[in-house]
Amino acid sequence: MSPGTRRGILIGGALLVVVVVAAAFFLLNSGGPAPEAATGTEATAVESPGAHDPNSAITEYLQDVSENNPDAAARLTDDNAAAAVALRSTRNALNPSSVTAKLSVLQPAPAGAKQTGGTFSLSWTLKPGQVWTYDVPFQLALSDGKWLVHWAPSLLHPKLEAGQRLVVSTAAPDTVAVADRDGKPVVFSGTGGPRLVDGNPAPLLRTALLGQVTATTGGGLAVERLDAGGKSVERMFGKAPGGGAKPLVTSLSLTAQSSAQAAVDGYKGSAMLVALDTGSGDILAVAQNTAAGASPKALSGLYEPGSSFKIATSVAAIQQSGLNAASPVDCPGVATIGTRTVRNEGFELGATNLETAFARSCNTTFGKLALDLPADGLKKAADELGLNADFEIPGLNTELGKVEPAASKDEQVEDGFGQGRIQASALGGTLMAATVAAGKAITPRLWHDVETTVVKGYSPPPAPVLGQVRKLMRAVVTSGTGHAAASAGEVFGKTGTAQFGDGKQATGWFVGYRGSVAFAVVLEESNDSGPAVQVAAKFLKSL
């Protein structure tokens, strides 16, 4: 490719800089005085780099720099490798929309001279209206009959020294970019870019937290000169908006997040936990352990909720069938309901009441209650508890659940105790519990500064209905399957075990609330709800 054609190609478009752009670490080598003129004849005139006269050498170099052709520019210097790396890395770091390098002064080179020099101007258009321009001294030397630009870091900026680099910053060093709901730092921003506080307290939310900092970055920026260790030596240009700016506020509570993470990390299998503030809808914690993988299943993974869905079945039975906590029901150990044979987990209660059947998690009772409902009865209850709602929470991809009218009577029976085609996520289970606790529709949010979009909202069950459901959920902890949580205070909840696949594995659930904190624990393949109750109790005790 001819030099003329080469210079006509612009390599890479540059985006406007709105965030911290971290350059790949590189060392700007050399920086010493101009070399003595070479006298050797190791290379032929055709093969040696450079130009036949000083003016051509510096003019071609500046044109290649302007046109973002670092390799060509580097071949016009006396340190090809170092120059190519430094020119490319600095261009990537500053990410300008354009660069203009123009010759200002070239000292005359008398006949026989082997060195000369001058100055050129270098202009970086970093953002509209923000152009960084300065003068750069340069030296030229004759080598093997060709003129070369003497490479030094100072060709990028007169103050730049060996081992140093330039980066763009959108905030002062160690500025708090995001604080939790209690004012504790969650994300810092500075010359190295936004970063979570030490310990990476919310790994599942890392992208959401850092991305929101990027999305809300102001219009300012600064160019910093960093030393070899990445420490800022000097602000070279501009003004970062982060200094003194009010940080974003996330709904997270670092205390709750730490407690949730410790609770799931203490479980050997796959575990996830979500917690919400029932008053504000604040997402207080989202945690899952290593065994659950890196994908945020706590927010979007859908599972059969098992008997935790009996909260919805109870809402439907109380609201649509006129029952209350004291209503008499039957709880046989095994029952044929429609054409479906339903069994309890090795117990029967006989004649009892709704509160006891709920507390002991009697499948035969709730299969019969579901069959007595209209075909869409359970869906209506699930709607009122938020399982079919849809929210767009900035930075998060969430799924709450999926509850549709049963396709058959047998399916309707199975739906009554959370099998069939009923699905929910840990976030959905938490929202269901939060709705019971608060008596109002909850809009989950991750930010105090950025609104959650309600794509599909919901209206809660009537207050008298929820009053009865609260009695049922409290009995689960005082005298039922969630008794292991009794030591964690006044806890309301519902356990669940949902078989899937060939029926040999089951997901364990515990959904509930204490005070203003609603939660859901989901354990994959635990085959029992007992461990989920223990994880929840550990979380609540540490708050």
Side-chain angles (χ1 to χ4, degrees), residues 143-445:
S143 175
D144 293 338
K146 292 290 188 73
W147 286 91
L148 295 170
V149 179
H150 171 54
W151 174 253
S154 58
L155 285 180
L156 294 168
H157 191 281
K159 290 187 175 182
L160 203 62
E161 300 174 5
Q164 295 182 347
R165 56 192 172 114
L166 300 173
V167 298
V168 166
S169 169
T170 57
D174 293 332
T175 297
V176 178
V178 178
D180 81 345
R181 69 202 302 259
D182 301 315
K184 298 176 183 177
V186 177
V187 175
F188 287 111
S189 189
T191 54
R195 70 183 191 281
L196 286 174
V197 296
D198 293 344
N200 193 21
L204 289 182
L205 303 177
R206 177 184 178 86
T207 300
L209 294 170
L210 300 185
Q212 196 59 41
V213 174
T214 297
T216 57
T217 296
L221 58 81
V223 179
E224 302 276 348
R225 177 162 60 104
L226 306 186
D227 64 16
K231 182 180 179 180
S232 178
V233 176
E234 180 184 3
R235 177 166 295 171
M236 309 292 287
F237 171 78
K239 180 180 179 182
K246 184 179 179 181
L248 294 169
V249 178
T250 177
S251 67
L252 289 179
S253 161
L254 286 184
T255 299
Q257 179 65 37
S258 176
S259 298
Q261 194 64 53
V264 297
D265 286 344
Y267 181 72
K268 293 183 179 180
S270 172
M272 58 201 80
L273 189 158
V274 176
L276 282 175
D277 182 277
T278 60
S280 62
D282 280 1
I283 297 174
L284 301 175
V286 179
Q288 62 187 47
N289 60 9
T290 303
S295 176
K297 294 184 285 188
L299 296 171
S300 57
L302 294 179
Y303 304 86
E304 292 180 347
S307 291
S308 66
F309 188 72
K310 288 172 183 173
I311 295 172
T313 307
S314 297
V315 166
I318 294 168
Q319 186 174 356
Q320 300 172 34
S321 300
L323 275 63
N324 58 46
S327 294
V329 294
D330 288 327
C331 177
V334 180
T336 299
I337 306 173
T339 62
R340 179 79 161 85
T341 300
V342 179
R343 290 179 171 82
N344 294 327
E345 294 293 326
F347 71 93
E348 64 177 272
L349 303 177
T352 184
N353 59 36
L354 181 62
E355 180 178 305
T356 302
F358 185 91
R360 295 288 302 277
S361 203
C362 186
N363 291 338
T364 54
T365 300
F366 281 83
K368 179 63 168 61
L369 293 176
L371 186 63
D372 292 341
L373 294 169
D376 63 350
L378 290 175
K379 178 187 179 301
K380 287 181 177 179
D383 286 345
E384 293 179 331
L385 293 169
L387 287 179
N388 284 325
D390 186 14
F391 303 99
E392 289 183 358
I393 305 171
L396 300 183
N397 179 26
T398 62
E399 293 285 346
L400 300 174
K402 185 177 181 181
V403 182
E404 299 174 339
S408 67
K409 288 296 184 180
D410 282 348
E411 185 177 287
Q412 190 167 328
V413 170
E414 294 171 350
D415 287 352
F417 45 90
Q419 296 280 177
R421 292 188 300 144
I422 302 292
Q423 290 184 313
S425 67
L427 177 60
T430 307
L431 186 70
M432 177 169 62
T435 303
V436 174
K440 64 179 183 179
I442 303 294
T443 298
R445 63 176 184 171

Side-chain angles (χ1 to χ4, degrees), residues 35-60:
E36 294 296 327
T39 57
T41 57
E42 289 82 359
T44 66
V46 173
E47 294 175 344
S48 63
H52 290 290
D53 61 85
N55 185 71
S56 296
I58 189 62
T59 300
E60 290 183 23

